[in-house]
Amino acid sequence: MDLVEKFDAKGKTGAPYHVEVYQIQLDEVGNSVAAGQRTYQLTDGRALDPLSNEKFRIVQTGEKIYRV
């Protein structure tokens, strides 16, 4: 699994979060790579459920956070 993106997010209270996006590379053919499913998590390892491209839910607490 490869780290493909990092971004900051905030909760409703303004608490900052750092999000990491991992993706499995399924197949390499020449110069093209077929990308697998993306996994979102906080830098502390807690899993995130993506609700949209801008909105996520922390699985452990149910808190919604937003990309900034």
Side-chain angles (χ1 to χ4, degrees):
M1 196 167 2
D2 296 325
L3 178 64
V4 294
E5 184 180 2
K6 287 183 175 183
F7 60 89
D8 293 325
K10 286 195 177 188
K12 285 186 179 181
T13 63
Y17 295 94
H18 303 289
V19 177
E20 295 178 336
V21 184
Y22 292 90
Q23 189 167 11
I24 297 172
Q25 302 302 324
L26 295 178
D27 188 27
E28 292 191 35
V29 179
N31 290 334
S32 83
V33 176
Q37 181 177 355
R38 288 185 166 212
T39 301
Y40 297 83
Q41 68 181 45
L42 298 175
T43 53
D44 66 9
R46 289 184 286 171
L48 296 173
D49 279 335
L51 303 175
S52 72
N53 192 41
E54 305 296 321
K55 187 171 156 183
F56 303 84
R57 182 176 54 239
I58 301 172
V59 173
Q60 184 180 19
T61 64
E63 180 183 1
K64 291 179 183 169
I65 62 174
Y66 303 87
R67 184 189 298 248
V68 293

